[in-house]
Amino acid sequence: MGAVIDVSSFYERTQELTQLKSWILQDSCCLVTIFGMSGIAKTTLATKLAISIQDQFEYVIWRSLQ
């Protein structure tokens, strides 16, 4: 997946991760937006999500919006 951040220390976001997986895999949402204040681990959450569901897709493309 390219230059994805290290998510080996991922804590206390299980509920959010489960909800995102459900929206994408069960509800077939094509777009999910994660937003919030700076420093609350949005990128870590998105990375963990992408890694955990990547086997459900033919391709995973990781792009920075900066």
Side-chain angles (χ1 to χ4, degrees):
M1 285 201 313
V4 176
I5 64 168
D6 177 27
V7 291
S8 58
S9 58
F10 181 76
Y11 303 107
E12 300 183 27
R13 299 297 287 270
T14 307
Q15 182 178 0
E16 292 90 344
L17 188 60
T18 301
Q19 182 66 61
L20 291 167
K21 284 181 185 180
S22 174
W23 286 341
I24 294 170
L25 299 177
Q26 295 171 359
D27 299 341
S28 300
C29 288
C30 297
L31 177 66
V32 175
T33 304
I34 301 171
F35 61 93
M37 295 182 344
S38 176
I40 62 169
K42 297 177 299 291
T43 302
T44 303
L45 179 63
T47 303
K48 188 70 173 181
L49 173 66
I51 290 169
S52 69
I53 65 172
Q54 68 182 350
D55 61 336
Q56 302 293 316
F57 298 91
E58 191 170 333
Y59 298 99
V60 174
I61 300 170
W62 186 265
R63 296 287 304 194
S64 172
L65 297 179
Q66 292 182 334

